[in-house]
Amino acid sequence: MRVLMIGDIVGDAGRSALQDHLPRLKRTHRPDVILVNGENAADGRGITRTIAREFFGSGVDCITLGNHAWDRREIFDFIDDEPRLVRPANYPEGTPGNGFARLALPNGELTVINLMGRTFLSTLDCPFRKADELLAEVKGPVLIDFHGETTSEKQALAWYLDGRVSAVIGTHTHVQTADERILPGGTAFLSDVGMTGPYDAVLGMEKELVIKRFLTQLPVRFEVGEGRTQLNGVLLELDPSSGGARSIKRIRIDDDEPWFE
Amino acid sequence: MRVLMIGDIVGDAGRSALQDHLPRLKRTHRPDVILVNGENAADGRGITRTIAREFFGSGVDCITLGNHAWDRREIFDFIDDEPRLVRPANYPEGTPGNGFARLALPNGELTVINLMGRTFLSTLDCPFRKADELLAEVKGPVLIDFHGETTSEKQALAWYLDGRVSAVIGTHTHVQTADERILPGGTAFLSDVGMTGPYDAVLGMEKELVIKRFLTQLPVRFEVGEGRTQLNGVLLELDPSSGGARSIKRIRIDDDEPWFE
Amino acid sequence: MRVLMIGDIVGDAGRSALQDHLPRLKRTHRPDVILVNGENAADGRGITRTIAREFFGSGVDCITLGNHAWDRREIFDFIDDEPRLVRPANYPEGTPGNGFARLALPNGELTVINLMGRTFLSTLDCPFRKADELLAEVKGPVLIDFHGETTSEKQALAWYLDGRVSAVIGTHTHVQTADERILPGGTAFLSDVGMTGPYDAVLGMEKELVIKRFLTQLPVRFEVGEGRTQLNGVLLELDPSSGGARSIKRIRIDDDEPWFE
Amino acid sequence: MRVLMIGDIVGDAGRSALQDHLPRLKRTHRPDVILVNGENAADGRGITRTIAREFFGSGVDCITLGNHAWDRREIFDFIDDEPRLVRPANYPEGTPGNGFARLALPNGELTVINLMGRTFLSTLDCPFRKADELLAEVKGPVLIDFHGETTSEKQALAWYLDGRVSAVIGTHTHVQTADERILPGGTAFLSDVGMTGPYDAVLGMEKELVIKRFLTQLPVRFEVGEGRTQLNGVLLELDPSSGGARSIKRIRIDDDEPWFE
Ligand SMILES: [Fe+2]
Ligand SMILES: [Fe+2]
Ligand SMILES: [Fe+2]
Ligand SMILES: [Fe+2]
Ligand SMILES: [Fe+2]
Ligand SMILES: [Fe+2]
Ligand SMILES: [Fe+2]
Ligand SMILES: [Fe+2]
């Protein structure tokens, strides 16, 4: 089972970059399933129904989210109708939407779970225990998008779940890490998959604005950056029966790393 | 000017990994200068005089630090005597030690500055303005070890200094990022160089203990992990006259990426 | 039902202040039950078995705790044997000790619950939902010691529970607030009851050391302050059948407010 | 020199409460100077030119601010023209507006300085050092509005400045503290003066909305509360020549403490 996961799509630039590269990524890697993190798809903050449909129309099978899930209030109007749009599962009981999706694929079922870290983020339910709870009811390959700020929380969760899930792939920092590996128990891990969108920007946002906020400590409204783009993702090969990971490979496409193999 | 910088050395395991790989790294890459971040060298917390001497004795030219600089109180006894041991420059005026070092090399002088981010870390002086202040008095190649938690602060500082320093290399997260590049103005950038030490651990610390703290939220004393090790670094080629970066190359050595080129 | 609650006892100085004033407080107010917060009783950090016994020996009926509960590791040896020593109830399941105590009094039973806020503190279970859960099984008067950093979380919990508990009394900031009131539903509220211990200090700790840490941002080991002391508490009159609060009165004793009536 | 300082005025309700009580406060206490914190005056976030004029028209001599100073963008249009509107002085150099005001009174000059804490707030310049710097150039009575989150930072600054300023009065938590005192060196201190505005609310904001945010961890837009109001302030008597504090007295007006003497 070949899984292509693409990191936080930021604004128009990110969606363009996805459209630019997705056909070739499909041809080259022939993924069985395509996942994207969409929490920043609408001008950098949240996602709309139109954008979600655009992603699904392009061949995306599942959209995960994160702390920015709720930035566009219209999400409350459609998240309950869209089982392939997944918000962090460790929001408290009663939160709209689903925390995981079961994707039926030709060669089996893949469960995609979204969890969010708590360090320097929201005070949600414990992601470790929420994973235990969800995994008690799931069979087959499981991929976790762990949306978190700190490397310690991400590594800790991956080790905690090693041998129990196919992969723990981090999102949220918007920077791809170079620590891809398969843990001894068979779980693929990458601290962060990185983002997709403006390349000459700060996490996808106009760099002058971000610098201004750091310098002045005054409120500055961020805008999505312009110009050159990047795409960051990861390609996983999972054993459809055991759920174990066979391989993990980072994907980075930008002007400094123009293509890959 | 070839610069080899090696990320946060964690405990005995990290120091062993350094000793294991440094001779071969020297032979292969023939660096003009070797830098290490040593804030975790003494059992994961701080550094001692003996360890600093050990590093210098192995061919290290300069040791940078970070938020853990002061964990071993003996540092206050020797930091003022060791110009090649550098703590974050944006600690307030009057802080013991130096915030930068000037290293005389065969082909010119390299200035190494240590700065620390403020987001989710200590409330120090502004690292952007401190950089401006230090750069006003420096000529030639400059490398900044920017010790910080968030990718936004690291990217913002790198863009802010693009064209004014040779390189901004992040430390502190203990996970190497895959975003190495040379910015348009000629500054090499990597969000985080990663750590050197235990490989089957959480940021170098015994993984069961870190998991326990996340699960219980109780105080747990961390210990440096055991077993297999990793080394993470970066290799830079700088123009000794202009100070511009010619190339940046990540180095990762562990059992999953056993050697490199 | 008359309840006397005394805020965070800090170190030897706090315990002396308690011994100095408790006899007179008993004579004057004739409380049916005496509660103290003991998280800082052992040199400012945690509590020992000996100190807990000392409190009980002086007439204290119940000791509540907070984020410093675990600072003295010996607590793990005795907390499970002492039903009148209460740690925050919203620590995750499996945490040693009890989150509440049921105190049999001549005129009925008082339930004392300890909860901890999450803003700028530990990432525990939701204190609002934990309160709901505990209250579902309790009858009669209930007092909550809500150990929290921010005024917003404390006020929000008090309003959330108004009419369902007898009192929500805050601890942790070590400064008594002047906002005592009975909410419309009958719940007595005080954002923080304040501390008991050194008066010429910062939260009970030697002031020069705290100032030094703010100025230098370096690690400084705090010590409990010396000299003059203060005691801060609150006196509540509860209806033993309805559980509603009839009155709430702050107690502050120090050299600037030497006695009270 | 009699100083009346009134805490964070929240929205329309806060401004009404001020108008309701100010005439009587003037008659009763005959203050030489009236200060208000106005950071929440415009619907709970920021201040407008119209509101600032309204305050000055009512007899207010100086308006201090805090972290919400900039919430209404129009402040950038008028803050430089209004010397009696003071924002935290430890914003970085180049920030619009003034960090202090010199008020000429019949019996001498009063300097009002606004500073902001850094713990759990913005990463500004060090408030301790900024105070030193400003005090080097000031003679006569000085009052500091120290806008901060934590009691430790507020107490530490007060002790640091004891004997060098007339008063350190905290703002920001919106809850009045009961720790008013004159420190040994002659500086009056109160950790927080409290707020002015809705009484049946959470820090002045509609309580159901704040509770909803705590329960759901979802974005909730806060609105200023309605109904009954409160006013909180402090009355100081300063020696106009030495600058030392002669007395400090809290003022709390609400339905539970309907008037005072
Ligand atoms: Fe994102
Ligand atoms: Fe995010
Ligand atoms: Fe480190
Ligand atoms: Fe660090
Ligand atoms: Fe305490
Ligand atoms: Fe506490
Ligand atoms: Fe305020
Ligand atoms: Fe504020």
Side-chain angles (χ1 to χ4, degrees), chain A residues 65-67 70 86-100 113-119 121-134 144-148 153 157, chain C residues 118 123-126 129, chain D residues 215-218:
Chain A
L65 296 166
N67 55 313
W70 322 99
V86 181
R87 48 86 183 156
N90 54 329
Y91 270 95
E93 223 185 296
T95 302
N98 296 296
F100 65 95
I113 297 174
N114 195 190
L115 287 170
M116 195 151 91
R118 303 196 289 184
T119 310
L121 275 169
S122 307
T123 50
L124 304 186
D125 294 344
C126 172
F128 293 74
R129 289 179 176 81
K130 179 56 71 171
D132 287 341
E133 182 192 320
L134 293 174
I144 293 183
D145 172 350
F146 189 37
H147 198 80
E153 200 171 10
L157 187 81
Chain C
R118 305 195 289 184
T123 51
L124 304 186
D125 295 343
C126 173
R129 288 179 175 82
Chain D
L215 282 175
T216 65
Q217 297 290 326
L218 296 175

Side-chain angles (χ1 to χ4, degrees), chain C residues 196-243:
Chain C
T196 296
Y199 186 52
D200 296 314
V202 175
L203 314 192
M205 308 311 274
E206 178 56 59
K207 58 183 185 293
E208 280 73 21
L209 298 174
V210 182
I211 290 170
K212 188 178 173 192
R213 196 195 276 178
F214 277 111
L215 282 176
T216 64
Q217 298 291 324
L218 297 175
V220 176
R221 178 145 183 103
F222 292 167
E223 305 290 338
V224 173
E226 301 192 336
R228 303 188 298 172
T229 62
Q230 61 182 319
L231 179 147
N232 285 280
V234 67
L235 193 70
L236 297 154
E237 173 83 36
L238 309 180
D239 183 313
S241 48
S242 74

Side-chain angles (χ1 to χ4, degrees), chain A residues 128-129 151 153 155 159 173 175-181 199-203 207 214-215 250 252, chain B residues 128-129 151 153 155 159 173 175-181 199-203 207 214-215 250 252:
Chain A
F128 293 74
R129 289 179 176 81
T151 47
E153 200 171 10
Q155 288 188 7
W159 281 111
T173 71
V175 173
Q176 189 176 85
T177 55
D179 60 339
E180 74 278 11
R181 66 191 287 193
Y199 186 52
D200 296 315
V202 175
L203 313 193
K207 58 184 184 291
F214 277 111
L215 282 176
R250 290 182 293 102
R252 168 185 169 177
Chain B
F128 294 72
R129 288 179 176 82
T151 47
E153 199 170 12
Q155 288 189 6
W159 282 110
T173 72
V175 173
Q176 189 176 84
T177 55
D179 61 339
E180 73 279 12
R181 65 190 290 193
Y199 186 52
D200 297 313
V202 175
L203 313 193
K207 58 183 183 293
F214 277 112
L215 282 176
R250 290 183 292 101
R252 167 184 169 178

